[in-house]
Amino acid sequence: MEAVEALAATSLPECKRARQADGKEAKDQEAAQLRPESAEAPAEAVAAGQAEEAAAAAAAEAESEARDLARVRKNKVACLGQMVKLAQRIERIWDFEDGTLRRALLGTFRDGLLALRGHRDKDCAALADLGDKMKSLDMDLRHFLTMALPIERQHTRGLRDHEFLVTRTEDLPASSSVACSSSIEAASGGGQAAASPADKAVEHDRPRMPLVLVLDNLRSAFNVGAIFRTAECLRAQKLYLCGYTATPEDTHGQTARAALGADGFVPWERRPRTLPVLEELRAAGMHVVALETVK
């Protein structure tokens, strides 16, 4: 009997310690399961907070642009100038982060166009139709630049020579090569002459002038074709067709016909934006010279 009581006395503390150990192990397991979630939670909260801040900043900038447009709406020159300024801003931030700011500004751009309906100036009123065509704010950059083109054309009609401003943030690098950013408007026309593989091989072997032409948003296919012909006469190194500039691969074939086959001899490349091309050429040691001819 005494042995049984002694065994019971020793078993009770052991059972208690076992229960405590089991309880501690269960808490440790629960803490281990909760620890990753608690670590991820702050990261998710930070990301959500940053997204909210970006959305708020985008909405604030869009509202500011809308107020500026509303303020100058009745003045044709000022209104067109503000619309062009907004279009340039949208182009600059097109690839910025997740597109929140781009979509917000595109919405303001569309609303600004729609607000021109009924404008006393018929040219401004006609631009409202562009707003109707912006069914969605999810478009590519080239589509947007095509939409902005009529606004830019209307705006530049009233500009004088001294109102064209070219800015440079740094000195041009010393080099014998020249990169020419051109918006030259030249008259042209005619049919297309096909280039044979043998002719292309001969032309490829001939040395080329260290001259690169960068065409920045040239609408006219005939003018682009004329520049191709001029580039071939000068033995230019390459042409970059940027933005909505017409290319020889356009479906209607007007550029290729106007080039009279020169597009088969002059190396060319289509790029969505002009500034990165100029930065690449400048980094390669080329002078960058801006040219523009207006009537």
Side-chain angles (χ1 to χ4, degrees), residues 184-247:
I184 301 174
E185 295 289 336
S188 62
Q192 179 182 4
S196 67
D199 292 337
K200 291 181 179 180
V202 172
E203 290 297 313
H204 179 74
D205 293 337
R206 290 175 54 195
R208 290 190 174 274
M209 179 185 296
L211 173 69
V212 178
L213 302 177
V214 183
L215 279 57
D216 177 29
N217 293 323
L218 250 66
R219 174 180 60 172
S220 172
F222 301 104
N223 294 342
V224 175
I227 294 176
F228 264 104
R229 301 199 306 269
T230 303
E232 170 56 18
C233 293
L234 296 173
R235 296 290 301 159
Q237 181 176 326
K238 190 171 183 179
L239 264 68
Y240 285 96
L241 312 181
C242 302
Y244 53 70
T245 299
T247 74

Side-chain angles (χ1 to χ4, degrees), residues 112-276:
L113 289 172
L114 294 175
L116 294 177
R117 196 178 306 280
H119 198 281
R120 60 184 180 183
D121 183 89
K122 63 179 183 180
D123 293 332
C124 285
L127 294 176
D129 294 337
L130 295 174
D132 293 329
K133 295 179 180 179
M134 295 180 66
K135 303 296 184 181
S136 171
L137 301 182
D138 293 324
M139 62 183 74
D140 57 33
L141 178 59
R142 193 176 188 187
H143 184 193
F144 169 71
L145 293 175
T146 302
M147 298 287 292
L149 172 63
I151 305 171
E152 182 182 5
R153 298 293 292 179
Q154 287 291 341
H155 175 59
T156 54
R157 282 181 180 178
L159 292 182
R160 299 177 181 177
D161 291 344
H162 70 277
E163 293 176 299
F164 286 94
L165 178 63
V166 177
T167 58
R168 186 182 68 188
T169 57
E170 58 185 7
D171 294 333
L172 293 175
S175 173
S176 60
S177 300
V178 177
C180 182
S181 174
S182 173
S183 298
I184 301 174
E185 295 289 336
S188 62
Q192 179 182 4
S196 67
D199 292 337
K200 291 181 179 180
V202 172
E203 290 297 313
H204 179 74
D205 293 337
R206 290 175 54 195
R208 290 190 174 274
M209 179 185 296
L211 173 69
V212 178
L213 302 177
V214 183
L215 279 57
D216 177 29
N217 293 323
L218 250 66
R219 174 180 60 172
S220 172
F222 301 104
N223 294 342
V224 175
I227 294 176
F228 264 104
R229 301 199 306 269
T230 303
E232 170 56 18
C233 293
L234 296 173
R235 296 290 301 159
Q237 181 176 326
K238 190 171 183 179
L239 264 68
Y240 285 96
L241 312 181
C242 302
Y244 53 70
T245 299
T247 74
E249 295 178 347
D250 289 344
T251 54
H252 297 294
Q254 294 177 332
T255 304
R257 289 196 296 269
L260 297 176
D263 58 300
F265 295 100
V266 181
W268 65 274
E269 180 181 345
R270 194 186 81 80
R271 298 285 287 271
R273 304 179 70 176
T274 303
L275 183 58

Side-chain angles (χ1 to χ4, degrees), residues 61-73 78-79 82 85 108:
E61 182 171 345
E63 291 176 3
S64 177
E65 293 286 355
R67 289 193 296 270
D68 292 340
L69 286 173
R71 186 176 64 254
V72 298
R73 179 185 175 278
C79 180
Q82 192 65 34
K85 179 181 177 182
T108 300

Side-chain angles (χ1 to χ4, degrees), residues 34-65:
L34 294 176
R35 195 174 297 117
E37 296 179 2
S38 61
E40 292 175 1
E44 294 176 356
V46 170
Q50 291 176 344
E52 291 178 359
E53 290 178 1
E61 182 171 345
E63 291 176 3
S64 177
E65 293 286 355

